[in-house]
Coordinates of all heavy atoms in Angstrom, one line a residue:
M1 N -24.1 3.2 21.6 CA -23.9 1.9 21.1 C -23.2 1.1 22.2 O -22.2 1.5 22.7 CB -23.1 1.8 19.8 CG -22.7 0.4 19.4 SD -21.9 0.4 17.8 CE -23.3 0.7 16.7
A2 N -23.7 -0.1 22.5 CA -23.1 -1.0 23.5 C -22.0 -1.8 22.8 O -22.2 -2.4 21.8 CB -24.2 -1.9 24.1
Y3 N -20.9 -1.9 23.5 CA -19.8 -2.7 23.0 C -20.0 -4.1 23.7 O -20.0 -4.2 24.9 CB -18.5 -2.1 23.4 CG -18.2 -0.8 22.6 CD1 -18.1 0.4 23.3 CD2 -18.1 -0.7 21.3 CE1 -17.9 1.6 22.7 CE2 -17.9 0.5 20.6 CZ -17.8 1.6 21.3 OH -17.6 2.8 20.6
D4 N -20.1 -5.1 22.9 CA -20.3 -6.4 23.4 C -19.4 -7.5 22.9 O -19.6 -8.7 23.0 CB -21.8 -6.9 23.2 CG -22.1 -6.9 21.7 OD1 -21.3 -6.5 20.9 OD2 -23.3 -7.3 21.4
A5 N -18.2 -7.1 22.3 CA -17.3 -8.0 21.8 C -15.9 -7.5 22.1 O -15.6 -6.3 22.2 CB -17.4 -8.2 20.3
D6 N -15.0 -8.5 22.4 CA -13.6 -8.2 22.8 C -12.7 -8.6 21.6 O -12.9 -9.5 20.9 CB -13.2 -8.9 24.0 CG -13.9 -8.5 25.3 OD1 -14.1 -7.2 25.4 OD2 -14.1 -9.3 26.2
I7 N -11.6 -7.8 21.4 CA -10.6 -8.1 20.5 C -9.3 -8.0 21.2 O -9.0 -7.0 21.9 CB -10.6 -7.1 19.3 CG1 -11.9 -7.2 18.5 CG2 -9.4 -7.4 18.4 CD1 -12.0 -6.1 17.4
T8 N -8.5 -9.0 21.1 CA -7.1 -9.0 21.7 C -6.1 -8.9 20.6 O -6.1 -9.7 19.7 CB -6.9 -10.3 22.6 OG1 -8.0 -10.4 23.5 CG2 -5.6 -10.3 23.2
V9 N -5.2 -8.0 20.8 CA -4.1 -7.8 19.8 C -2.8 -7.7 20.5 O -2.6 -7.1 21.5 CB -4.3 -6.4 19.0 CG1 -3.2 -6.2 18.0 CG2 -5.7 -6.4 18.3
R10 N -1.8 -8.5 20.0 CA -0.5 -8.4 20.5 C 0.4 -7.6 19.6 O 0.3 -7.7 18.4 CB 0.1 -9.9 20.6 CG -0.7 -10.7 21.6 CD 0.0 -11.9 22.2 NE 1.3 -11.7 22.7 CZ 1.6 -11.3 23.9 NH1 0.7 -10.9 24.8 NH2 2.9 -11.2 24.3
T11 N 1.2 -6.7 20.2 CA 2.1 -5.9 19.4 C 3.3 -5.6 20.2 O 3.4 -6.0 21.4 CB 1.3 -4.5 19.1 OG1 2.1 -3.8 18.1 CG2 1.1 -3.7 20.3
D12 N 4.3 -5.0 19.6 CA 5.5 -4.6 20.2 C 5.3 -3.5 21.2 O 4.5 -2.6 20.9 CB 6.5 -4.2 19.1 CG 7.8 -3.7 19.6 OD1 8.7 -4.5 19.7 OD2 7.9 -2.5 19.8
S13 N 6.0 -3.6 22.3 CA 5.7 -2.5 23.4 C 6.1 -1.1 22.9 O 5.5 -0.2 23.3 CB 6.5 -2.9 24.6 OG 7.9 -2.9 24.4
G14 N 7.1 -1.0 22.0 CA 7.5 0.3 21.5 C 6.4 0.8 20.6 O 6.1 2.0 20.6
V15 N 5.8 0.0 19.8 CA 4.7 0.4 18.9 C 3.5 0.9 19.8 O 2.9 1.9 19.5 CB 4.2 -0.7 18.0 CG1 2.9 -0.4 17.3 CG2 5.3 -1.1 17.0
K16 N 3.2 0.1 20.8 CA 2.1 0.5 21.7 C 2.4 1.9 22.3 O 1.5 2.8 22.4 CB 1.9 -0.5 22.8 CG 0.7 -0.2 23.7 CD 0.5 -1.2 24.8 CE -0.6 -0.7 25.7 NZ -0.8 -1.6 26.9
R17 N 3.6 2.1 22.8 CA 4.0 3.3 23.5 C 3.9 4.5 22.6 O 3.3 5.5 22.9 CB 5.4 3.2 24.1 CG 5.8 4.4 24.9 CD 7.2 4.3 25.5 NE 8.2 4.2 24.4 CZ 8.8 3.0 24.0 NH1 8.6 1.9 24.7 NH2 9.7 3.0 23.1
E18 N 4.5 4.3 21.4 CA 4.5 5.4 20.4 C 3.0 5.8 19.9 O 2.7 7.0 19.8 CB 5.3 5.1 19.2 CG 6.8 5.1 19.5 CD 7.7 4.9 18.3 OE1 7.4 5.5 17.3 OE2 8.6 4.0 18.4
T19 N 2.2 4.8 19.7 CA 0.9 5.1 19.2 C 0.0 5.7 20.4 O -0.8 6.6 20.1 CB 0.1 3.8 18.7 OG1 0.2 2.8 19.6 CG2 0.8 3.4 17.4
Q20 N 0.3 5.2 21.6 CA -0.5 5.7 22.7 C -0.2 7.2 22.9 O -1.1 8.0 23.2 CB -0.2 5.0 24.0 CG -1.1 5.4 25.1 CD -2.6 5.2 24.8 OE1 -3.0 4.1 24.6 NE2 -3.3 6.3 24.8
E21 N 1.1 7.6 22.7 CA 1.4 9.0 22.8 C 0.7 9.9 21.8 O 0.2 11.0 22.1 CB 2.9 9.2 22.6 CG 3.8 8.7 23.7 CD 5.3 8.7 23.4 OE1 5.7 9.3 22.4 OE2 6.1 8.2 24.2
I22 N 0.5 9.3 20.6 CA -0.2 10.1 19.5 C -1.7 10.1 19.9 O -2.3 11.2 19.8 CB 0.0 9.4 18.2 CG1 1.5 9.6 17.7 CG2 -0.9 10.0 17.1 CD1 1.9 8.7 16.6
F23 N -2.2 9.0 20.3 CA -3.7 8.9 20.7 C -3.9 9.8 21.9 O -5.0 10.5 21.9 CB -4.1 7.5 21.0 CG -4.1 6.6 19.8 CD1 -3.8 5.2 20.0 CD2 -4.2 7.0 18.5 CE1 -3.8 4.3 18.9 CE2 -4.2 6.1 17.4 CZ -3.9 4.8 17.6
D24 N -3.0 9.9 22.8 CA -3.2 10.8 24.0 C -3.3 12.2 23.5 O -4.2 13.0 24.0 CB -2.0 10.7 25.0 CG -2.1 9.4 25.8 OD1 -3.1 8.7 25.8 OD2 -1.0 9.1 26.4
A25 N -2.5 12.6 22.5 CA -2.5 14.0 22.0 C -3.8 14.3 21.3 O -4.3 15.4 21.2 CB -1.3 14.2 21.1
L26 N -4.4 13.2 20.7 CA -5.7 13.3 20.0 C -6.9 13.2 21.0 O -8.0 13.3 20.5 CB -5.8 12.3 18.9 CG -4.8 12.5 17.8 CD1 -4.8 11.2 16.9 CD2 -5.1 13.7 17.0
G27 N -6.6 12.9 22.2 CA -7.7 12.7 23.2 C -8.4 11.3 23.0 O -9.6 11.2 23.3
L28 N -7.7 10.3 22.5 CA -8.2 9.0 22.3 C -7.5 8.0 23.1 O -6.3 8.2 23.4 CB -8.1 8.6 20.8 CG -8.8 9.4 19.7 CD1 -8.3 9.0 18.3 CD2 -10.3 9.3 19.9
D29 N -8.1 6.9 23.4 CA -7.4 5.7 23.9 C -7.3 4.7 22.8 O -7.9 4.9 21.7 CB -8.1 5.1 25.2 CG -9.5 4.7 24.9 OD1 -9.9 4.3 23.8 OD2 -10.3 4.7 25.9
I30 N -6.6 3.6 23.0 CA -6.3 2.6 22.0 C -7.7 2.0 21.5 O -7.9 1.8 20.3 CB -5.3 1.6 22.4 CG1 -3.9 2.2 22.5 CG2 -5.3 0.4 21.5 CD1 -2.8 1.3 22.9
G31 N -8.5 1.7 22.5 CA -9.8 1.1 22.1 C -10.6 2.0 21.2 O -11.2 1.5 20.2
A32 N -10.7 3.3 21.5 CA -11.4 4.2 20.6 C -10.8 4.3 19.2 O -11.5 4.3 18.2 CB -11.5 5.6 21.2
A33 N -9.5 4.3 19.2 CA -8.8 4.4 17.9 C -9.0 3.1 17.1 O -9.3 3.2 15.8 CB -7.3 4.5 18.1
V34 N -9.0 2.0 17.7 CA -9.3 0.7 17.0 C -10.8 0.7 16.5 O -11.0 0.3 15.3 CB -9.1 -0.5 17.9 CG1 -9.6 -1.8 17.3 CG2 -7.6 -0.7 18.2
N35 N -11.7 1.2 17.3 CA -13.1 1.3 16.8 C -13.2 2.3 15.6 O -14.0 2.0 14.7 CB -14.0 1.7 18.0 CG -14.4 0.5 18.8 OD1 -15.1 -0.4 18.2 ND2 -14.0 0.5 20.0
I36 N -12.5 3.4 15.6 CA -12.5 4.3 14.5 C -12.0 3.5 13.2 O -12.6 3.6 12.2 CB -11.7 5.5 14.8 CG1 -12.4 6.4 15.8 CG2 -11.4 6.3 13.5 CD1 -11.5 7.5 16.3
F37 N -10.9 2.8 13.4 CA -10.3 2.1 12.3 C -11.3 1.0 11.8 O -11.5 0.9 10.6 CB -9.0 1.3 12.7 CG -8.5 0.4 11.7 CD1 -7.9 0.8 10.6 CD2 -8.7 -1.0 11.9 CE1 -7.4 -0.1 9.6 CE2 -8.2 -1.9 11.0 CZ -7.6 -1.5 9.8
L38 N -11.9 0.3 12.7 CA -12.9 -0.7 12.2 C -14.1 -0.1 11.5 O -14.5 -0.7 10.5 CB -13.4 -1.6 13.4 CG -12.3 -2.4 14.1 CD1 -12.9 -3.1 15.4 CD2 -11.7 -3.4 13.2
R39 N -14.6 1.0 12.0 CA -15.7 1.7 11.3 C -15.2 2.2 9.9 O -16.0 2.1 8.9 CB -16.2 2.8 12.1 CG -16.9 2.3 13.3 CD -17.5 3.5 14.2 NE -18.1 3.0 15.4 CZ -19.3 2.4 15.5 NH1 -20.0 2.3 14.4 NH2 -19.7 2.0 16.7
Q40 N -14.0 2.6 9.7 CA -13.5 3.1 8.4 C -13.4 1.9 7.5 O -13.6 2.0 6.3 CB -12.1 3.8 8.6 CG -12.2 5.1 9.2 CD -13.0 6.1 8.3 OE1 -12.7 6.2 7.1 NE2 -14.0 6.7 8.8
V41 N -13.0 0.7 8.0 CA -12.9 -0.5 7.2 C -14.3 -0.8 6.6 O -14.5 -1.1 5.4 CB -12.4 -1.7 8.0 CG1 -12.6 -3.0 7.2 CG2 -10.9 -1.5 8.3
I42 N -15.3 -0.6 7.5 CA -16.7 -0.9 7.0 C -17.1 0.1 5.9 O -17.6 -0.2 4.9 CB -17.7 -0.8 8.2 CG1 -17.5 -2.0 9.1 CG2 -19.2 -0.8 7.7 CD1 -18.2 -1.8 10.5
I43 N -16.8 1.4 6.2 CA -17.2 2.5 5.2 C -16.5 2.2 3.9 O -17.1 2.4 2.8 CB -16.8 3.9 5.8 CG1 -17.7 4.2 6.9 CG2 -16.8 4.9 4.7 CD1 -17.3 5.4 7.8
H44 N -15.2 1.9 3.9 CA -14.4 1.7 2.7 C -14.5 0.3 2.1 O -13.9 0.1 1.0 CB -12.9 2.0 2.9 CG -12.7 3.5 3.2 ND1 -12.5 4.4 2.3 CD2 -12.6 4.1 4.4 CE1 -12.3 5.6 2.8 NE2 -12.4 5.5 4.1
H45 N -15.1 -0.6 2.8 CA -15.2 -2.0 2.3 C -13.8 -2.5 2.1 O -13.5 -3.3 1.1 CB -16.0 -2.1 1.0 CG -17.5 -1.8 1.2 ND1 -18.4 -2.7 1.8 CD2 -18.1 -0.6 1.0 CE1 -19.6 -2.1 1.8 NE2 -19.4 -0.8 1.4
G46 N -12.9 -2.2 3.0 CA -11.5 -2.6 2.9 C -10.7 -1.7 3.8 O -11.2 -0.9 4.5
L47 N -9.4 -1.8 3.6 CA -8.5 -0.9 4.4 C -8.7 0.5 4.0 O -8.8 0.8 2.8 CB -7.1 -1.3 4.2 CG -6.7 -2.7 4.8 CD1 -5.3 -3.1 4.5 CD2 -6.9 -2.7 6.3
P48 N -8.7 1.4 4.9 CA -8.9 2.9 4.6 C -7.7 3.6 4.1 O -7.6 4.8 4.2 CB -9.5 3.4 5.9 CG -8.9 2.6 7.0 CD -8.8 1.2 6.4
F49 N -6.7 2.8 3.7 CA -5.5 3.4 3.2 C -4.8 2.4 2.2 O -5.2 1.3 2.2 CB -4.5 3.8 4.3 CG -4.3 2.7 5.3 CD1 -3.5 1.6 5.1 CD2 -5.1 2.7 6.5 CE1 -3.4 0.6 6.0 CE2 -5.0 1.7 7.5 CZ -4.1 0.6 7.2
R50 N -3.9 2.9 1.4 CA -3.2 2.1 0.4 C -2.2 1.2 1.2 O -1.5 1.6 2.0 CB -2.5 2.9 -0.6 CG -3.4 3.6 -1.6 CD -2.6 4.4 -2.6 NE -1.7 3.4 -3.3 CZ -0.7 3.8 -4.1 NH1 -0.5 5.1 -4.3 NH2 0.0 2.9 -4.7
V51 N -2.2 -0.1 0.7 CA -1.2 -1.0 1.2 C -0.6 -1.6 0.0 O -1.2 -2.3 -0.8 CB -1.9 -2.1 2.1 CG1 -0.8 -3.1 2.5 CG2 -2.6 -1.6 3.3
N52 N 0.7 -1.2 -0.2 CA 1.4 -1.7 -1.4 C 2.9 -1.7 -1.2 O 3.4 -1.1 -0.2 CB 1.0 -0.9 -2.6 CG 1.5 0.5 -2.5 OD1 1.5 1.1 -1.4 ND2 1.9 1.1 -3.6
L53 N 3.6 -2.4 -2.0 CA 5.0 -2.4 -2.0 C 5.5 -1.4 -3.0 O 5.1 -1.5 -4.2 CB 5.6 -3.8 -2.4 CG 5.2 -4.9 -1.4 CD1 5.7 -6.2 -1.9 CD2 5.8 -4.6 0.0
E54 N 6.3 -0.4 -2.6 CA 6.8 0.6 -3.5 C 7.9 -0.1 -4.4 O 8.7 -0.8 -3.9 CB 7.3 1.8 -2.8 CG 6.2 2.5 -2.0 CD 5.2 3.2 -2.9 OE1 5.6 3.6 -4.0 OE2 4.1 3.3 -2.5
P55 N 7.9 0.2 -5.7 CA 9.0 -0.3 -6.5 C 10.3 0.3 -6.1 O 10.4 1.4 -5.6 CB 8.6 0.1 -7.9 CG 7.6 1.2 -7.7 CD 7.0 1.1 -6.4
N56 N 11.4 -0.5 -6.2 CA 12.7 0.0 -5.9 C 13.1 1.1 -7.0 O 12.4 1.3 -8.0 CB 13.8 -1.1 -5.8 CG 14.0 -1.8 -7.1 OD1 13.8 -1.2 -8.2 ND2 14.3 -3.1 -7.1
A57 N 14.2 1.7 -6.8 CA 14.6 2.9 -7.6 C 14.8 2.4 -9.1 O 14.3 3.2 -10.0 CB 15.9 3.5 -7.1
E58 N 15.4 1.3 -9.3 CA 15.6 0.8 -10.7 C 14.3 0.5 -11.4 O 14.1 0.9 -12.5 CB 16.5 -0.4 -10.7 CG 16.8 -1.0 -12.0 CD 17.6 -2.2 -12.0 OE1 18.0 -2.6 -10.9 OE2 17.9 -2.7 -13.1
T59 N 13.4 -0.1 -10.7 CA 12.0 -0.4 -11.3 C 11.3 0.9 -11.5 O 10.6 1.0 -12.5 CB 11.2 -1.3 -10.4 OG1 12.0 -2.5 -10.2 CG2 9.9 -1.7 -10.9
Q60 N 11.4 1.8 -10.6 CA 10.7 3.1 -10.7 C 11.2 3.8 -12.0 O 10.4 4.4 -12.7 CB 10.8 4.0 -9.5 CG 10.0 5.2 -9.5 CD 8.5 5.0 -9.6 OE1 8.0 4.1 -9.0 NE2 7.8 5.7 -10.5
R61 N 12.5 3.8 -12.2 CA 13.1 4.5 -13.4 C 12.6 3.8 -14.7 O 12.2 4.5 -15.6 CB 14.6 4.4 -13.3 CG 15.2 5.6 -12.5 CD 16.7 5.7 -12.7 NE 17.4 4.4 -12.5 CZ 17.8 4.0 -11.3 NH1 17.6 4.7 -10.2 NH2 18.5 2.8 -11.2
A62 N 12.5 2.5 -14.6 CA 12.0 1.7 -15.8 C 10.6 2.1 -16.1 O 10.2 2.2 -17.3 CB 12.2 0.2 -15.6
I63 N 9.8 2.2 -15.1 CA 8.3 2.5 -15.2 C 8.2 3.9 -15.8 O 7.5 4.2 -16.8 CB 7.6 2.5 -13.9 CG1 7.5 1.0 -13.4 CG2 6.2 3.1 -14.0 CD1 7.0 0.8 -12.0
E64 N 9.0 4.9 -15.3 CA 9.0 6.3 -15.8 C 9.4 6.3 -17.2 O 8.9 7.0 -18.0 CB 9.8 7.2 -14.9 CG 9.1 7.4 -13.5 CD 10.1 8.1 -12.5 OE1 11.2 8.5 -12.9 OE2 9.6 8.2 -11.3
D65 N 10.5 5.6 -17.5 CA 11.0 5.6 -18.9 C 9.9 5.0 -19.8 O 9.7 5.6 -20.9 CB 12.3 4.7 -19.0 CG 13.5 5.4 -18.5 OD1 13.4 6.6 -18.2 OD2 14.5 4.7 -18.3
A66 N 9.3 4.0 -19.4 CA 8.2 3.4 -20.3 C 7.1 4.3 -20.5 O 6.6 4.5 -21.6 CB 7.7 2.1 -19.7
L67 N 6.7 5.0 -19.4 CA 5.6 6.0 -19.5 C 6.0 7.2 -20.4 O 5.1 7.8 -21.0 CB 5.1 6.4 -18.1 CG 4.5 5.3 -17.3 CD1 4.2 5.9 -15.9 CD2 3.2 4.9 -17.9
N68 N 7.2 7.6 -20.4 CA 7.7 8.7 -21.1 C 8.2 8.3 -22.5 O 8.6 9.2 -23.3 CB 8.8 9.4 -20.4 CG 8.4 10.0 -19.1 OD1 7.2 10.5 -19.0 ND2 9.2 10.0 -18.1
G69 N 8.1 7.1 -22.9 CA 8.5 6.6 -24.2 C 10.0 6.5 -24.4 O 10.4 6.3 -25.5
N70 N 10.7 6.5 -23.3 CA 12.2 6.4 -23.4 C 12.6 4.9 -23.4 O 12.2 4.2 -22.6 CB 12.8 7.1 -22.2 CG 12.5 8.5 -22.1 OD1 12.2 9.2 -23.1 ND2 12.5 9.0 -20.9
D71 N 13.3 4.6 -24.5 CA 13.8 3.2 -24.6 C 12.7 2.2 -24.5 O 12.8 1.1 -23.9 CB 14.9 2.9 -23.5 CG 15.7 1.7 -23.8 OD1 15.9 1.4 -25.0 OD2 16.1 1.0 -22.9
F72 N 11.6 2.5 -25.1 CA 10.4 1.7 -25.0 C 10.3 0.8 -26.3 O 10.6 1.3 -27.4 CB 9.1 2.5 -24.9 CG 7.9 1.8 -24.7 CD1 7.6 1.1 -23.5 CD2 7.0 1.6 -25.7 CE1 6.5 0.4 -23.3 CE2 5.8 0.9 -25.6 CZ 5.6 0.3 -24.3
H73 N 10.0 -0.4 -26.1 CA 9.9 -1.4 -27.2 C 8.5 -1.9 -27.2 O 7.9 -2.1 -26.1 CB 10.9 -2.5 -27.0 CG 12.3 -2.1 -26.9 ND1 13.1 -1.9 -28.1 CD2 13.1 -1.6 -25.9 CE1 14.3 -1.5 -27.7 NE2 14.3 -1.3 -26.4
G74 N 8.0 -2.2 -28.4 CA 6.7 -2.8 -28.4 C 5.6 -1.8 -28.7 O 5.9 -0.6 -28.8
P75 N 4.4 -2.1 -28.8 CA 3.9 -3.5 -28.6 C 4.3 -4.4 -29.8 O 4.5 -3.9 -30.9 CB 2.4 -3.3 -28.5 CG 2.1 -2.1 -29.3 CD 3.3 -1.2 -29.1
F76 N 4.3 -5.6 -29.5 CA 4.7 -6.6 -30.5 C 3.4 -7.4 -30.8 O 2.7 -7.9 -29.9 CB 5.8 -7.5 -30.0 CG 7.0 -6.8 -29.6 CD1 7.4 -6.6 -28.3 CD2 7.8 -6.2 -30.6 CE1 8.5 -5.9 -27.9 CE2 8.9 -5.4 -30.3 CZ 9.3 -5.3 -28.9
Y77 N 3.2 -7.6 -32.1 CA 2.0 -8.4 -32.5 C 2.4 -9.8 -33.0 O 1.5 -10.5 -33.5 CB 1.3 -7.6 -33.6 CG 0.8 -6.2 -33.0 CD1 1.5 -5.1 -33.3 CD2 -0.3 -6.2 -32.2 CE1 1.1 -3.9 -32.7 CE2 -0.7 -5.0 -31.6 CZ 0.0 -3.8 -31.9 OH -0.4 -2.6 -31.4
S78 N 3.7 -10.1 -33.0 CA 4.1 -11.4 -33.3 C 5.4 -11.7 -32.7 O 6.2 -10.8 -32.3 CB 4.2 -11.6 -34.8 OG 5.3 -10.8 -35.3
V79 N 5.8 -13.0 -32.6 CA 7.1 -13.3 -32.0 C 8.2 -12.8 -33.0 O 9.2 -12.4 -32.5 CB 7.2 -14.9 -31.9 CG1 8.6 -15.3 -31.5 CG2 6.1 -15.4 -30.9
E80 N 7.9 -12.8 -34.2 CA 8.9 -12.3 -35.2 C 9.2 -10.9 -34.9 O 10.4 -10.5 -35.0 CB 8.4 -12.5 -36.6 CG 8.3 -14.0 -37.1 CD 7.1 -14.7 -36.6 OE1 6.1 -14.1 -36.2 OE2 7.1 -16.0 -36.5
E81 N 8.2 -10.0 -34.7 CA 8.5 -8.6 -34.4 C 9.3 -8.5 -33.1 O 10.2 -7.7 -33.1 CB 7.1 -7.9 -34.2 CG 6.4 -7.6 -35.4 CD 5.1 -6.9 -35.2 OE1 5.0 -6.3 -34.1 OE2 4.2 -6.9 -36.1
L82 N 9.0 -9.3 -32.1 CA 9.8 -9.2 -30.9 C 11.2 -9.6 -31.1 O 12.2 -8.9 -30.7 CB 9.2 -10.2 -29.8 CG 10.0 -10.4 -28.6 CD1 10.2 -9.1 -27.8 CD2 9.4 -11.5 -27.7
M83 N 11.4 -10.7 -31.9 CA 12.8 -11.2 -32.1 C 13.6 -10.2 -33.0 O 14.7 -10.0 -32.7 CB 12.7 -12.5 -32.8 CG 12.1 -13.7 -32.0 SD 12.9 -13.8 -30.4 CE 14.4 -14.5 -30.8
K84 N 12.9 -9.5 -33.9 CA 13.6 -8.5 -34.7 C 14.0 -7.4 -33.8 O 15.2 -6.9 -34.0 CB 12.7 -8.0 -35.8 CG 13.4 -7.0 -36.8 CD 12.4 -6.6 -37.9 CE 13.1 -5.7 -38.9 NZ 13.9 -4.6 -38.4
D85 N 13.2 -6.9 -32.9 CA 13.5 -5.8 -32.0 C 14.7 -6.2 -31.1 O 15.6 -5.4 -30.8 CB 12.3 -5.4 -31.2 CG 12.6 -4.2 -30.4 OD1 12.6 -3.1 -30.9 OD2 12.8 -4.3 -29.1
L86 N 14.7 -7.5 -30.6 CA 15.8 -7.9 -29.8 C 17.1 -8.0 -30.5 O 18.2 -7.7 -29.9 CB 15.5 -9.3 -29.2 CG 14.3 -9.4 -28.1 CD1 14.0 -10.8 -27.8 CD2 14.7 -8.6 -26.9
D87 N 17.1 -8.3 -31.8 CA 18.3 -8.3 -32.6 C 18.9 -6.9 -32.9 O 20.1 -6.8 -33.2 CB 18.1 -9.1 -33.9 CG 17.9 -10.6 -33.7 OD1 18.4 -11.1 -32.6 OD2 17.3 -11.2 -34.5
D88 N 18.0 -5.9 -32.9 CA 18.5 -4.6 -33.3 C 19.2 -3.9 -32.2 O 19.3 -4.1 -31.1 CB 17.3 -3.7 -33.6 CG 16.7 -4.1 -35.0 OD1 17.3 -4.8 -35.7 OD2 15.5 -3.8 -35.2

């Protein structure tokens, strides 16, 4: 396949150095690695990995408590039910 388009990316020199060391160990240059990434984007119709913000420890505990039924309230089918639960 002929390459006929250029992409210019600016990054931190430390990031470039560290990734280049990894790519060297894999027998790749940055251009080949970028092309692999772009092809994976096409295959996945999006990023080929999860991109999300992890909840902090307090939020994670609340999620786990809710999933385990600990200190769980609701569901509420009316405002009155919610208010009664809040008063208890």
Side-chain angles (χ1 to χ4, degrees):
M1 169 177 287
Y3 295 115
D4 59 357
D6 291 324
I7 297 175
T8 302
V9 177
R10 298 203 43 88
T11 191
D12 177 88
S13 61
V15 169
K16 181 181 178 188
R17 183 183 61 257
E18 288 183 49
T19 55
Q20 188 59 61
E21 289 172 7
I22 295 168
F23 296 149
D24 286 346
L26 294 170
L28 299 170
D29 59 29
I30 290 178
V34 169
N35 275 298
I36 291 170
F37 170 75
L38 295 175
R39 290 181 186 281
Q40 287 296 308
V41 169
I42 293 168
I43 290 168
H44 292 276
H45 296 277
L47 293 175
F49 45 81
R50 287 182 59 191
V51 176
N52 64 324
L53 297 174
E54 295 295 326
N56 64 30
E58 182 179 358
T59 302
Q60 187 60 44
R61 277 192 305 276
I63 291 169
E64 290 169 6
D65 284 346
L67 292 174
N68 294 327
N70 302 334
D71 197 31
F72 185 72
H73 301 271
F76 303 107
Y77 299 101
S78 69
V79 174
E80 290 79 20
E81 288 181 15
L82 169 64
M83 297 306 291
K84 183 177 183 320
D85 187 74
L86 289 173
D87 288 336
D88 291 340

